[in-house]
Amino acid sequence: MARLHLRIFLARVPGGDLLADDAVIVLGELVSNAVKHARVPKGRRIYIRFEMVLDHLRLEVHDASSEKPVIRRSVGVNSESGRGLCLVEGLSVEWGEVPRPEGIGKIVWALVGPGGGAP
């Protein structure tokens, strides 16, 4: 659902088609990390947000866990997981994590630009 909402949003934005492929992958990785790793009490929700900042797209995934995301630099060849944040890092101009202003959980964010990820 998150990827579908993002595609609808980007279809309405001039130049959004230039960001769509990378943005959909990045958002998918951030949301799946929140679902998989943000072990929180029942009833807590994951919230997504996106906005254009000049010609860049800012993606945010809010969750109620304070556990910080960690990039795994060495993942086994046969491992079925552990590469998601490497994709986020490679496809984003920059990304990071901040505490939620409400005091519960965090926001993991990424900035996707028309020229692809960071050099």
Side-chain angles (χ1 to χ4, degrees):
M1 286 305 293
R3 292 186 295 236
L4 175 62
H5 286 290
L6 178 58
R7 284 198 183 277
I8 292 168
F9 173 80
L10 288 174
R12 297 178 183 149
V13 172
D17 57 321
L18 300 173
L19 304 172
D21 291 340
D22 289 351
V24 165
I25 293 169
V26 169
L27 182 63
E29 292 299 333
L30 296 180
V31 169
S32 62
N33 278 353
V35 169
K36 185 175 182 178
H37 300 293
R39 306 207 192 297
V40 296
K42 191 173 186 164
R44 297 288 182 177
R45 297 178 187 216
I46 295 169
Y47 172 78
I48 61 169
R49 181 176 182 272
F50 23 86
E51 70 174 324
M52 293 301 298
V53 181
L54 300 175
D55 62 344
H56 288 66
L57 173 68
R58 181 179 170 95
L59 303 167
E60 294 181 359
V61 177
H62 301 227
D63 67 54
S65 170
S66 58
E67 185 177 325
K68 296 178 188 261
V70 177
I71 293 180
R72 293 190 212 163
R73 296 291 179 193
S74 58
V75 178
V77 175
N78 296 322
S79 294
E80 294 182 13
S81 64
R83 296 175 185 83
L85 288 178
C86 288
L87 281 171
V88 170
E89 184 177 61
L91 295 174
S92 302
V93 174
E94 61 181 311
W95 76 280
E97 171 267 331
V98 295
R100 289 182 71 207
E102 297 84 11
I104 297 173
K106 66 181 174 302
I107 301 168
V108 182
W109 59 271
L111 196 62
V112 177

